[in-house]
Amino acid sequence: MGKKIIRAATIGLSLNIFCKDLLRELADEGYEVVALSSPDEDLREVEKREKVRAVGVQMERRMSPLKDIVSLVKLVRVFAKEKPDMVHSMTPKAGLLCMVAGWMTGVPVRVHTFTGLVWPTAQGLSRRILMLTDKLTCMCATHIVPEGEGVKADLERCITKKKMKVLGFGNVRGINMDEWKRRVERVEGQMLTFVFVGRIVRDKGVDELVAAFVKLNRIYSNTRLLLVGPYEEHLNPVQSGTKFLIDTCECIEAVGAQKDVRPFYEQSDVLVFPSYREGFPNVVIEAGAMELPSIVTDINGSREIIEDGRNGLIVPARDEQALFEAMKWMVEHDEERKAMAAHARPMIASRYEQGYVRGCLKNYYKEIFARNCGSFAK
């Protein structure tokens, strides 16, 4: 049996989305792979689909000191029993708990992938606590993988001086270009449709997006806005005025969470993704693969995928007027918008094709195990 790797996330959904088919590929290449997260239906699906063993350890997504201690004790027991050669975590809580538990039990290789940072947009005591947990995660990790150069720069500036490596062009998931391609051509003369895909919350810039679109629609009535994603009423909800506009404006259609978002990209002309913070937004990659130009904010990840003026436009975050101007430009510059759309898919294919992204990770594992071969004597 080859080296044992535990891939961990706080909830099974993260493993289900970000490690789809990857765990099976690793097992096929000779690794012994264990999937670990809170016990839920997604973890069971991962176990069945990937044909790997799964271990459930309950972890809270939010700060919960007493429950976190219980989770840490359980993880220590799991790692002591499993004796993995590597623990590779993603998502904040799993990262903190798994890196500490891995350090306590002497796991030789402890890798954490930062897919995004929460503290840059937090304030006060919350910001200090979030930074402290990231520092502790980095202290206990032997290897740190930022998902993009922006995340790496923030970590270097405020969290750790340890050596870090961005794999490939960034992004931990990659995209299957055969699955993500336009199957239905847009018909000339249709309404120009902007689409947003993500959680309908304040930090995704939905307040600014809806206000900017309503302003735009008063000038150009042949425009439409699709909102694809769930509301989160108890976690960073949009303003009540925004919800009212979504409910009452005939040219705004909120379709809720969708298992397959590709049909909504196919109905659209431009992705608008005005988020305040991201690690490396898969939505922007998906839209590009579906031949859509994007309007994004000048934040980590988004500015690494979009080249301003080539495959989209970049605007300041939290700036409703700048967002309005960019959307207005897309309406008024039909040929330029189509040229951006033509550039979008080739740029995504050259940087984020799934086989390439996974190859970067597999090579990284091989490099780590080759460098640390003396650490694995049992």
Side-chain angles (χ1 to χ4, degrees):
M1 183 65 72
K3 297 290 189 291
K4 180 185 285 190
I5 299 173
I6 294 180
R7 283 299 307 255
T10 310
I11 59 175
L13 180 63
S14 298
L15 293 176
N16 206 357
I17 292 175
F18 291 100
C19 296
K20 184 179 180 181
D21 299 327
L22 172 63
L23 303 187
R24 185 172 64 241
E25 289 180 14
L26 290 171
D28 289 344
E29 294 186 13
Y31 295 103
E32 182 182 356
V33 182
V34 178
L36 185 150
S37 75
S38 296
D40 54 28
E41 188 60 38
D42 279 289
L43 181 61
R44 288 188 286 274
E45 184 177 337
V46 167
E47 182 178 34
K48 182 178 179 180
R49 185 190 63 233
E50 304 293 320
K51 294 180 172 55
V52 299
R53 192 157 50 88
V55 176
V57 175
Q58 185 62 44
M59 291 177 273
E60 299 294 319
R61 294 177 68 184
R62 292 194 170 197
M63 285 182 279
S64 181
L66 292 179
K67 291 182 179 179
D68 291 344
I69 291 173
V70 173
S71 299
L72 179 61
V73 171
K74 291 180 177 179
L75 286 168
V76 166
R77 290 173 178 169
V78 169
F79 293 170
K81 178 182 177 181
E82 294 287 344
K83 295 181 172 56
D85 300 298
M86 172 191 290
V87 172
H88 184 175
S89 59
M90 60 187 299
T91 69
K93 183 60 69 70
L96 173 64
L97 296 177
C98 288
M99 292 302 97
V100 173
W103 173 77
M104 292 175 67
T105 54
V107 176
V109 179
R110 305 180 295 275
V111 183
H112 180 65
T113 294
F114 282 93
T115 56
L117 302 172
V118 181
W119 54 262
T121 56
Q123 296 179 343
L125 180 61
S126 177
R127 178 185 173 93
R128 291 196 291 272
I129 292 173
L130 290 167
M131 292 180 70
L132 179 62
T133 58
D134 278 355
K135 288 179 181 180
L136 183 56
T137 299
C138 290
M139 286 174 59
C140 292
T142 60
H143 298 77
I144 302 166
V145 180
E147 191 174 15
E149 294 294 341
V151 174
K152 179 182 177 184
D154 284 344
L155 288 171
E156 289 176 334
R157 178 169 52 88
C158 298
I159 302 299
T160 183
K161 299 302 180 184
K162 282 187 174 181
K163 185 178 180 181
M164 293 176 277
K165 183 174 183 178
V166 176
L167 304 183
F169 291 91
N171 189 245
V172 299
R173 182 180 174 187
I175 189 163
N176 185 325
M177 298 299 292
D178 292 329
E179 292 182 0
W180 290 87
K181 60 183 177 182
R182 185 177 283 274
R183 297 161 297 181
V184 179
E185 293 299 322
R186 290 285 289 159
V187 178
E188 293 294 331
Q190 289 183 335
M191 295 184 75
L192 194 145
T193 300
F194 296 92
V195 63
F196 167 88
V197 180
R199 293 176 295 114
I200 312 299
V201 295
R202 188 175 304 170
D203 280 359
K204 294 294 185 182
V206 176
D207 289 325
E208 292 86 354
L209 170 58
V210 170
F213 174 76
V214 169
K215 186 176 178 181
L216 177 76
N217 186 250
R218 292 191 185 116
I219 303 171
Y220 296 102
S221 59
N222 65 328
T223 54
R224 180 174 68 138
L225 174 62
L226 283 176
L227 300 175
V228 185
Y231 285 100
E232 290 192 356
E233 301 292 351
H234 304 293
L235 182 65
N236 194 235
V238 295
Q239 297 174 7
S240 58
T242 299
K243 182 67 164 56
F244 175 79
L245 289 172
I246 293 172
D247 292 339
T248 58
C249 182
E250 292 182 358
C251 289
I252 299 178
E253 184 179 357
V255 299
Q258 300 288 326
K259 286 190 175 181
D260 187 358
V261 298
R262 290 173 295 180
F264 299 95
Y265 288 127
E266 288 176 337
Q267 297 175 39
S268 304
D269 299 282
V270 181
L271 172 76
V272 189
F273 194 70
S275 183
Y276 297 171
R277 61 173 177 85
E278 295 290 328
F280 217 94
N282 287 293
V283 166
V284 183
I285 293 176
E286 291 169 359
M290 298 293 287
E291 302 177 31
L292 294 187
S294 296
I295 300 172
V296 301
T297 40
D298 191 11
I299 59 170
N300 288 344
S302 292
R303 60 172 165 251
E304 296 168 53
I305 303 168
I306 298 302
E307 293 183 11
D308 194 34
R310 182 168 174 79
N311 60 338
L313 299 175
I314 301 176
V315 300
R318 305 172 190 259
D319 192 330
E320 176 190 321
Q321 182 61 27
L323 193 58
F324 163 75
E325 294 292 344
M327 295 171 76
K328 183 170 177 282
W329 187 94
M330 288 290 188
V331 175
E332 295 176 344
H333 295 80
D334 187 64
E335 292 303 318
E336 292 90 338
R337 186 187 71 249
K338 290 177 180 177
M340 288 182 180
H343 287 131
R345 183 173 169 85
M347 290 179 70
I348 296 301
S350 67
R351 300 178 183 182
Y352 307 114
E353 189 275 324
Q354 195 167 71
Y356 170 74
V357 171
R358 289 181 178 174
C360 290
L361 176 65
K362 293 174 186 177
N363 289 337
Y364 186 59
Y365 282 175
K366 291 175 182 176
E367 290 173 12
I368 290 174
F369 285 134
R371 265 199 318 268
N372 293 273
C373 58
S375 304
F376 298 103
K378 301 288 186 180

